[in-house]
Amino acid sequence: MTKMADNSASVEIVEGCRLPVLRKNQENEDEWPLAEILSVKEVSARKLYYVHYIDFNKRLDEWVTSDRLDMKKLQFPKKEAKTPTKNGLPGSRPSSPEREVKRKVEPVPLAPQVSPVTPVPSLPSSAEASQAAVYPAARETSTFKSREDHEQLTSLTTQNGTARRLIPSQPGRKRKANCGGTDEDSQDSSDGIPSAPRMTGSLVSDRSHDDIVTRMKNIECIELGRHRLKPWYFSPYPQELTALPILYLCEFCLKYLKSLKCLQRHLTKCNLRHPPGNEIYRKGTISFFEIDGRKNKTYSQNLCLIAKCFLDHKTLYYDTDPFLFYVMTEYDPKGFHIVGYFSKEKESTEDYNVACILTLPPYQRRGYGKLLIEFSYELSKVEGKTGTPEKPLSDLGLLSYRSYWSQTILEILMGLKPDNGERPQITINEISEITSVKKEDVISTLQYLNLINYYKGQYILTLSEDIVDGHERAMHKRHLRIDPKCLHFTPKDWSKRGKW
Amino acid sequence: MSKLSFRARALDAARPLPVYRRAELPQLTDCGFISRAVPQMPSGMDKDEELEHHLQRAMSAQQVFRERKENMVIPVPEAESNSTYYDRLYKGQVKVPKQLIHVQPLSLDLEQPDYDMDSEDETLLNRLNRKMDMKPLQFEIMVDRLEKASTHQEVSLAEAKRLLNEDDYLLKSVYDYWLRKRRNRCLIFQVKQENRDGSTNHHAYVAFRRRTEKMTTRKNRKNDEASYEKMLRLRREFSRTVTILEMIKKREKSKRELLHLTLEVVEKRYQLSDFNGDVLKTVALPLEEKAVYCAPVNVNNSSRHKTNVKAKMQKNQVSMREELTFDPTRPKNRCTKWERLFPPQRFPGRLPRAESIYRADVNQYDFHSSGEDEGNSTMVAQTPPTSDDENYPDGVFIFRRTDGCLYLSPRWDGGHVDIQPLHERHFLTKLSLSPDWMGLSRRRTGRGGRILLDRASCSLDSLLNQLDTYPGSWTRSRTVYPNEPVDLDQKLLMNSSSIPSLSQALKNIQTLRRCCFRPRPIQNQRITDSRTAGPSVEDRRFLDTPGSAGGITEEQYYSHQQQLMKMKKQQLEQLQYNEAMSRATAPLDHQRNQSHRSPESTSRTLDSVSAHFAASAVVSTSPSAQDALRPPKTTGVPNCPGASRSSYSTSSSVSGVGLLSIPKQQSQVGAVYPTHHHNIRPSAPPPSALKLATLAAKVIPVSGLPRDIDEPDRQLNGLSENTQPMEVT
């Protein structure tokens, strides 16, 4: 603010600004993808910026120092003329927990708006570029709209020119409208008052309260057994624990602890060496445990909390009562270590056989995800139903499922033998029945694999060489399989119980 | 080109798809793919995310290479493994059990403190341990209890002392330490809970909110509603059960008391050496009388009494049905309605100074349970009125004892037991308002709640006639009293002559709705067919003038009646004969359909006219003029010494005939139904009666008014209704 006085206010990088940010790609090469500033904080006199790389998954969002910002290409948030401020809840603004208190007294400097649409001219690029003063302090009531549709920031400026704060205004509806077909808007009333999300399912269906806090990772690091995990997304662990450099989790009961000492103490009292449920599958070192979200709330909640760290769309809005949790473990002499899990509604009205599914990062890319998926379909087979995962799928979820579906369907197609000279044929319904994969998923997979062709007045399935070869290679690499004989599972009819 | 122009058929999931290898179809490449043959399925991803670079790259890599390429995977934040201290942290080894692990539900809830000590606590513990021995677990339990006892405010030291059973010094140290460390924030970190007020609806850190509603899936919602209703019903039925059980309890208690008393009596008799029962005899009678007089019970007001009555009725082997149909949820509002409509002192059917003994009052002392008696007498005055209209269908017309009244003991007629149902009995009644009249009658409720008085002839009619203050009314068939006030109270309150014009007019209107049927004076014995038109004529409404009755004149009507009677006579006699035959074997509680004739009444044959007009005037003979006048009571108590014995033909046939013999008046009068509206359900009328009815229906020509052939049925159905709304018109 003081800089404003001499009419040479420095360029403040505020939330909503966009600019190229340096990051290393997988080949360890420098890239300058465009990123959006989600939050700014100051740690030991250095400013840190929380950036989201546009068109990259949120899990790559990170805190960066200003030297990684390309100030020359800074874009300020666009103005949006008519964005009525609704429901500017104090808690729903961009902030990291540490800054929360500070922010309350210190107004966020607003980006000046001269010409909202004009690109920002190049600034003298330096490490301290953010201090460069370019724009006059012509600050009036201004509203901004981020280029990304789903994030609208409005700001209110009081009469004396002091900006109060940036308030995200109902980013939810717009974003929601973009969501896949399974989302229902019915509960999101249009009067702007955010309502509670629907109570079925486990994935976000209502983003009306999707404020900036939940867009930012809040846990630095989690220690779980032998592994340290870097969370990918926000998770509502107790706020007091978010400032910790490392959050310790009991490997077996998943209780969160603030220090190693506490974990040590906890382990003297916790004698669990496996998830606290019934083992319904065991083959080799792989076991599955079934946990009732109503009967074992603490574990289910702890599981959800850690799962949320890696599942963007998971919602923890409601309790875990209507879910069952199937935890996959790998045994070693220390116990049954959690590898991944999936949750499942006890009663699904939409044929979902999986709500959330996660392989913990240390076990990823090793076939466990497919194993989880395979297990979920085995359960559906026992139930005699077809099933599909709850939507939206994540990127990794889509890849995993597509891969599973492809392999499952190709396995069937390639296993078809000519029937006394006749050309083998199969209906989509048959595939669905054999695999318990929902019909729509079968069709989409066949399409994705480009197997469906129209030939001589009818649809045919064509298996090309590369598909066959690719499948054989993939199956060769797929060691982990579910053995249905090892599954001891009796489905319960939850609809006949009063409550889940 | 043209291939793409036609729209390919939709993909049929039920249609077999032949599977080809590409090599088998060299010409397929020529045909080209029809790419839009099938509508593109959504991927199921968020649209924004679907466009993310890494996903797109991974997907295209998948398409091209058909397998995962290491550098094409979606990058994720790196995780590291750290096993330096893992083995020290997780001690011990676990063996895999042979069986699948099965967790006992309760084994999970081990009482362990949620609080875990940190290094700071350890320092304190070490310091404390210099003076005393304290285990970390002990410390954790203490802090855990303190934490859990404190919600917004820390527990005070005093509370802590109560909470923790520890040494004072230790407690103080830990408490102080805890207080310092806590500083208004919980030490046991918990996921933020929702606030009840909804202020945290969108707080990012609030999780695991309770589901306030049940799952709102379409299917379940219906179930929920149904089960909710079921629960309500269950609750109602349970409360009913509780009531019944309470009654049973009372009954059994009374029984026990009776047993004790009997035992006591026997013992006393033994002590007195009263082996032939002489002493008992001398003692027994006064006791009974005393009981009757000393314990006046307000039936209407004492719920306790009612239950007693019920219990006793059961004891008397009266049908259990009354007990079962008792609905504890109903009487309350009913009662208030009754009370509102008919304040106790106002109902017209009840004559103020009539002396009577209520049958149940007598029965109540069937066994002498002193405790109960006292209880009853004390409860009389104050208990709020709760009327159970199942058992007291008379509602407000229920018998009430009046202070200062003398209730005579029942006349015991040579040990003869009259099992006439109470509601069929006729009582000596005196109408205090004009037409002044005194005679045997019984009160019923007609359709629409009209109060009907069925008058009956008896041998004392002539005597009563003389007593009658208004001699003319006795013989007059139809009497219109222009000035007659309708409301009894009105009559009582104001002089009939000084009624203002408006109320006069009103009364005139209402007067027209009053009907007065005169019973046919008792005929000489055995002259059943020597009826004159006269008595029958009386069964007409006042209003029922020829003009207003739709063109049918009295003369026409009565001539038809006579015709009808003649036709019926034979059948009636046949019927009565049948009844007499079956009477011998009929069980007592079927008396409703039987005719029970006292020795006196058998000497007289039933007047067929009375049968004819059973609805309004059923012939009843009362040998005792001192029969107390009382409203009908539906207790179904078989033994009523004071009741008059009446000569009934079978009620079914009476109903049938009666219904038809007063045609079309019903619609206007609406009050003359033979509604024996009490809880005895009439069995289906004898076929002969029905035959009679239909016959009568055919015979009686009603010009202008369509005859309702179904009416008998309807009315018979109406009979089965236990309660009918009452209304004074």
Side-chain angles (χ1 to χ4, degrees), chain A residues 173-421:
Chain A
R173 248 174 302 137
K174 223 168 196 167
R175 176 151 184 166
K176 235 168 78 74
N178 295 336
C179 285
T182 54
D183 274 336
E184 291 168 22
D185 303 54
S186 58
Q187 298 205 17
D188 188 20
S189 51
S190 54
D191 56 2
I193 296 162
S195 56
R198 71 189 160 117
M199 280 189 275
T200 54
S202 63
L203 300 175
V204 170
S205 60
D206 173 40
R207 290 277 189 119
S208 59
H209 56 286
D210 178 27
D211 55 54
I212 209 98
V213 177
T214 59
R215 290 185 64 199
M216 289 166 43
K217 302 168 192 180
N218 57 341
I219 309 281
E220 187 78 13
C221 182
I222 287 176
E223 188 172 299
L224 175 78
R226 285 192 179 88
H227 311 287
R228 289 238 173 120
L229 317 173
K230 287 244 183 263
W232 300 354
Y233 307 107
F234 172 87
S235 182
Y237 276 107
Q239 214 162 341
E240 299 89 338
L241 302 175
T242 55
L244 298 168
I246 294 178
L247 181 65
Y248 293 88
L249 258 58
C250 168
E251 197 191 359
F252 299 108
C253 79
L254 302 180
K255 183 178 178 179
Y256 42 84
L257 298 135
K258 64 172 181 176
S259 69
L260 198 56
K261 177 72 203 168
C262 288
L263 177 61
Q264 224 172 358
R265 278 299 308 156
H266 168 74
L267 288 173
T268 63
K269 292 176 280 182
C270 175
N271 41 25
L272 274 181
R273 284 299 178 267
H274 56 83
N278 293 336
E279 193 181 11
I280 59 168
Y281 175 92
R282 188 195 294 164
K283 187 174 190 190
T285 57
I286 297 292
S287 291
F288 275 88
F289 290 82
E290 187 187 56
I291 286 122
D292 188 325
R294 192 168 77 90
K295 289 183 186 152
N296 203 333
K297 280 194 208 292
T298 314
Y299 183 82
S300 305
Q301 293 186 356
N302 287 340
L303 180 60
C304 283
L305 284 171
I306 182 159
K308 180 67 192 77
C309 291
F310 305 102
L311 297 172
D312 190 13
H313 292 278
K314 182 175 176 57
T315 176
L316 304 187
Y317 194 89
Y318 288 117
D319 59 32
T320 55
D321 287 15
F323 293 97
L324 291 169
F325 297 86
Y326 293 93
V327 180
M328 182 166 77
T329 61
E330 194 170 39
Y331 170 78
D332 76 4
K334 288 284 175 192
F336 295 79
H337 307 281
I338 179 169
V339 170
Y341 89 105
F342 66 89
S343 56
K344 176 176 181 167
E345 279 179 284
K346 291 171 182 174
E347 254 187 303
S348 174
T349 49
E350 286 164 277
D351 293 339
Y352 294 142
N353 64 352
V354 162
C356 291
I357 184 163
L358 170 73
T359 309
L360 287 173
Y363 297 92
Q364 283 171 0
R365 298 185 202 171
R366 285 154 60 178
Y368 289 112
K370 211 165 282 170
L371 202 63
L372 281 166
I373 295 172
E374 191 177 1
F375 188 80
S376 73
Y377 282 109
E378 286 302 330
L379 293 186
S380 290
K381 285 179 195 171
V382 175
E383 289 169 349
K385 295 176 186 165
T386 62
T388 185
E390 192 178 327
K391 310 295 181 305
L393 292 171
S394 67
D395 48 358
L396 294 169
L398 180 68
L399 291 184
S400 300
Y401 265 99
R402 279 226 175 122
S403 170
Y404 173 79
W405 292 332
S406 301
Q407 293 183 4
T408 310
I409 291 167
L410 285 174
E411 214 172 7
I412 289 169
L413 294 182
M414 288 167 69
L416 288 175
K417 293 280 169 284
D419 190 18
N420 54 28

Side-chain angles (χ1 to χ4, degrees), chain B residues 217-273:
Chain B
T217 51
R218 270 142 268 139
K219 190 183 73 188
N220 288 343
R221 203 178 288 170
K222 210 201 283 173
N223 291 345
D224 289 351
E225 217 174 285
S227 44
Y228 177 67
E229 304 248 305
K230 272 183 199 157
M231 291 302 286
L232 282 184
R233 209 170 63 211
L234 200 64
R235 207 203 108 85
R236 267 203 305 273
E237 273 160 19
F238 269 126
S239 71
R240 202 177 293 191
T241 312
V242 167
T243 319
I244 290 172
L245 284 176
E246 267 169 17
M247 290 171 179
I248 290 172
K249 197 178 108 190
K250 261 183 203 168
R251 187 192 67 197
E252 295 303 320
K253 242 167 101 181
S254 310
K255 272 184 178 175
R256 193 185 57 188
E257 244 170 308
L258 173 67
L259 189 71
H260 287 317
L261 286 168
T262 315
L263 200 69
E264 214 176 307
V265 168
V266 170
E267 272 173 16
K268 289 275 188 302
R269 282 176 63 191
Y270 177 74
Q271 283 163 17
L272 292 170
S273 309

Side-chain angles (χ1 to χ4, degrees), chain A residues 82-88 143 154-156 164 167-170:
Chain A
K82 286 178 77 177
T83 311
T85 314
K86 289 174 194 160
N87 273 285
T143 49
T154 52
S155 83
L156 292 178
R164 277 218 308 256
I167 299 157
S169 74
Q170 293 296 303

Side-chain angles (χ1 to χ4, degrees), chain A residues 199 223 453 455 457 459, chain B residues 9 27 33 57 85 94 211:
Chain A
M199 280 189 275
E223 188 172 299
N453 285 296
Y455 178 68
Y459 284 111
Chain B
R9 272 181 295 171
Q27 70 274 41
F33 298 113
R57 203 179 56 173
Y85 49 81
V94 185
R211 286 165 209 256

Side-chain angles (χ1 to χ4, degrees), chain B residues 291-538:
Chain B
V292 170
Y293 291 108
C294 289
V297 173
N298 190 327
V299 175
N300 199 36
N301 289 343
S302 165
S303 57
R304 170 117 181 244
H305 171 73
K306 265 185 289 167
T307 59
N308 287 341
V309 170
K310 266 197 292 270
K312 272 147 206 171
M313 277 173 358
Q314 209 175 348
K315 209 176 158 62
N316 291 339
Q317 293 171 350
V318 174
S319 152
M320 280 284 288
R321 205 174 44 184
E322 290 167 27
E323 188 94 7
L324 292 176
T325 51
F326 173 65
D327 182 356
T329 60
R330 271 169 59 208
K332 272 243 164 86
N333 44 18
R334 281 289 189 110
C335 173
T336 54
K337 198 177 110 200
W338 290 128
E339 292 297 321
R340 201 177 61 244
L341 284 173
F342 311 106
Q345 301 309 317
R346 289 185 53 192
F347 54 85
R350 180 174 166 270
L351 292 180
R353 295 269 142 67
E355 290 179 353
S356 81
I357 291 169
Y358 175 44
R359 175 76 194 88
D361 291 345
V362 181
N363 256 12
Q364 188 186 355
Y365 305 101
D366 271 355
F367 45 88
H368 307 276
S369 152
S370 55
E372 294 255 322
D373 288 348
E374 281 158 22
N376 282 340
S377 48
T378 53
M379 284 182 73
V380 167
Q382 259 74 36
T383 39
T386 51
S387 157
D388 174 5
D389 46 14
E390 287 289 328
N391 295 282
Y392 301 97
D394 295 306
V396 291
F397 301 104
I398 203 151
F399 168 76
R400 282 164 230 255
R401 283 173 187 272
T402 325
D403 283 343
C405 269
L406 181 70
Y407 297 94
L408 297 175
S409 63
R411 210 181 76 107
W412 210 261
D413 215 4
H416 168 74
V417 174
D418 194 326
I419 39 175
Q420 178 98 53
L422 209 53
H423 63 90
E424 288 179 8
R425 259 174 253 139
H426 289 73
F427 305 99
L428 189 60
T429 315
K430 183 180 182 298
L431 281 183
S432 58
L433 70 161
S434 54
D436 286 339
W437 170 83
M438 194 193 282
L440 286 179
S441 82
R442 65 176 183 195
R443 196 188 52 74
R444 290 187 288 107
T445 311
R447 193 168 64 173
R450 292 163 180 81
I451 304 300
L452 308 177
L453 279 181
D454 294 344
R455 303 200 312 208
S457 312
C458 71
S459 52
L460 295 163
D461 273 356
S462 55
L463 183 72
L464 291 169
N465 201 10
Q466 288 163 17
L467 293 171
D468 202 315
T469 52
Y470 199 111
S473 68
W474 187 241
T475 46
R476 250 204 331 254
S477 60
R478 291 161 49 220
T479 324
V480 178
Y481 303 98
N483 289 333
E484 178 190 271
V486 177
D487 196 321
L488 275 176
D489 281 358
Q490 234 174 346
K491 164 87 181 214
L492 293 172
L493 290 175
M494 26 173 136
N495 220 327
S496 59
S497 56
S498 65
I499 292 164
S501 60
L502 179 64
S503 51
Q504 177 104 32
L506 266 175
K507 261 176 281 152
N508 281 341
I509 295 164
Q510 288 172 322
T511 303
L512 295 178
R513 315 206 66 181
R514 286 174 54 89
C515 30
C516 184
F517 299 104
R518 223 209 69 173
R520 187 178 177 276
I522 207 122
Q523 301 290 307
N524 284 331
Q525 299 169 11
R526 303 259 163 229
I527 342 176
T528 49
D529 55 342
S530 69
R531 291 160 289 96
T532 60
S536 304
V537 170
E538 293 166 17

